[in-house]
Amino acid sequence: MARPEHPRDPDVEISASATARELRFRTPPEVTVRAEAEPAGECAWGGDRTNLPERVEAGVTYRDIRIDFRVAARLTGHEEPS
């Protein structure tokens, strides 16, 4: 799976994969990814697709697809407990 360039040594990492024999979209999806590391940190995400283009087309059947996705975060600041 593709690894985002940063953070290199994450404190938290979440990975997910999905597969399908066939997939067809009635309308192309609108996808948004947002990740934050609070109170201070850096975040990155990235993914790989197999047999599925970056921009899918409505009405096209995609076969034997796989999607791998990773989100990683590293805290860079230190906050004392109250």
Side-chain angles (χ1 to χ4, degrees):
M1 179 185 315
R3 296 183 65 87
E5 289 186 24
H6 298 282
R8 297 211 184 277
D9 296 315
D11 293 310
V12 175
E13 182 175 335
I14 300 170
S15 299
S17 296
T19 61
R21 284 187 226 160
E22 290 188 349
L23 183 63
R24 179 188 293 244
F25 296 89
R26 290 185 184 156
T27 59
E30 294 181 27
V31 178
T32 303
V33 176
R34 187 179 129 201
E36 297 177 18
E38 295 282 342
E42 59 183 12
C43 222
W45 59 86
D48 287 325
R49 294 176 178 213
T50 303
N51 296 328
L52 191 66
E54 193 65 32
R55 302 193 102 179
V56 298
E57 296 180 35
V60 174
T61 300
Y62 299 96
R63 290 183 171 78
D64 299 320
I65 67 125
R66 179 180 177 100
I67 301 168
D68 297 303
F69 194 76
R70 174 181 175 260
V71 178
R74 184 171 70 88
L75 298 178
T76 57
H78 180 70
E79 188 174 288
E80 292 293 324
S82 317

